[in-house]
Amino acid sequence: MREEPRLRVAAFRPDDDRLDDAVELIESLGADPVPDPMLAIEPATADDAEATGRQVTPRSDADYVVLTSKTGVELAAEAGWDAGEATVCAIGDSTAEALHEAGYGVDIIPAEYSSTGLVETLSGAVAGARVEVARSDHGSAVLTDGLEAAGAYVHETVLYRLVRPEGSGESAELAASGDLDAALFTSSLTVEHFLDAAADLGLREAVIDGLNEATVAAIGQPTRETAEDAGISVDVVPDQADFEALACEAIEAAAPTHHE
């Protein structure tokens, strides 16, 4: 009996342990990973602080401090950030785990791992409070606007920039040729950088057509909306906003229709 060919599944995580974990997970699910990082991290520096007049480490005098990613936690810890008496909020288990590993306490994790989920969790508690949001330069305004609407005094610190790595785009070429079975988008920015890579290759329209013949998975509604606004049909948005759920549901959705 001829063996069924394996699914080709693209992952766009930063080229660190997150991409390694993604590759391992996809392989464990019986698919062939296509690791194609669409995000590279550039930490904010003292030069950035001097140029912009803004901090590059979280404030230490806030009532609430919000960390949104493992990267943000690691950079804050490296800078010697002291949480003091602040209520520390983490969006998601991976962020909370990073905080614990760095020696910080975690007071609040929203049930829904998203900016909207955290706003809903804090909305009845932050009126008149100072809330520090420490994250990347591409953080969603949903979080800061929502907290301000709840009556908080919000300060945002940019800990790092997210840029597109040089040489990205292998998955775009596969999508354009009809050889990509699933794509796992973890943020709006991964969608945007993927399409930028496709455009640089002169393949944007062919890539969108190819994705629309594949299974496309997105973490959260903002990521879904970004993809759909670009003409990409999204097939999977897991209830749990983490990569494992994203990969499992996407591969399960792609497998029944996968034929040579």
Side-chain angles (χ1 to χ4, degrees):
M1 183 175 178
R2 188 162 55 91
E3 185 177 338
E4 187 75 12
R6 287 159 61 98
L7 297 170
R8 281 183 172 175
V9 180
F12 308 117
R13 312 217 76 186
D15 191 9
D16 53 25
D17 58 337
R18 284 166 290 190
L19 189 62
D20 294 339
D21 290 345
V23 166
E24 183 178 347
L25 174 63
I26 291 166
E27 288 177 338
S28 76
L29 295 169
D32 286 335
V34 181
D36 194 6
M38 288 294 161
L39 299 175
I41 294 160
E42 291 185 352
T45 66
D47 289 341
D48 294 321
E50 184 175 348
T52 64
R54 301 183 66 179
Q55 295 177 212
V56 295
T57 55
R59 291 179 60 164
S60 57
D61 61 348
D63 301 305
Y64 293 79
V65 178
V66 178
L67 279 302
T68 65
S69 70
K70 175 183 176 182
T71 298
V73 172
E74 291 171 346
L75 291 172
E78 287 172 11
W81 170 60
D82 181 1
E85 299 298 315
T87 297
V88 178
C89 309
I91 296 183
D93 284 339
S94 61
T95 306
E97 183 178 343
L99 281 161
H100 286 306
E101 288 177 355
Y104 299 106
V106 179
D107 302 296
I108 294 174
I109 307 172
E112 178 186 327
Y113 298 166
S114 68
S115 295
T116 300
L118 186 59
V119 169
E120 290 175 354
T121 300
L122 295 180
S123 60
V126 295
R130 293 169 296 180
V131 180
E132 167 75 345
V133 176
R135 57 184 183 174
S136 81
D137 63 334
H138 281 84
S140 169
V142 169
L143 179 57
T144 47
D145 289 353
L147 292 171
E148 287 179 348
Y153 300 100
V154 180
H155 179 270
E156 183 177 12
T157 295
V158 174
L159 300 176
Y160 57 100
R161 294 181 295 274
L162 292 170
V163 300
R164 179 162 62 93
E166 291 185 16
S168 59
E170 176 190 358
S171 58
E173 293 184 276
L174 290 172
S177 62
D179 293 321
L180 189 68
D181 300 296
L184 310 177
F185 291 109
T186 51
S187 66
S188 290
L189 196 56
T190 57
V191 176
E192 293 165 3
H193 284 181
F194 175 86
L195 292 175
D196 288 344
D200 287 351
L201 295 165
L203 297 171
R204 182 184 169 97
E205 295 307 316
V207 163
I208 291 173
D209 290 343
L211 283 185
N212 287 336
E213 296 298 321
T215 297
V216 175
I219 282 185
Q221 290 304 320
T223 306
R224 177 180 199 156
E225 290 168 9
T226 299
E228 291 182 342
D229 286 348
I232 299 168
S233 298
V234 175
D235 306 288
V236 173
V237 181
D239 291 334
Q240 186 174 353
D242 65 44
F243 187 82
E244 183 173 351
L246 187 77
C248 290
E249 292 189 28
I251 290 172
E252 182 178 357
T257 59
H258 180 62
H259 302 288
E260 187 174 45

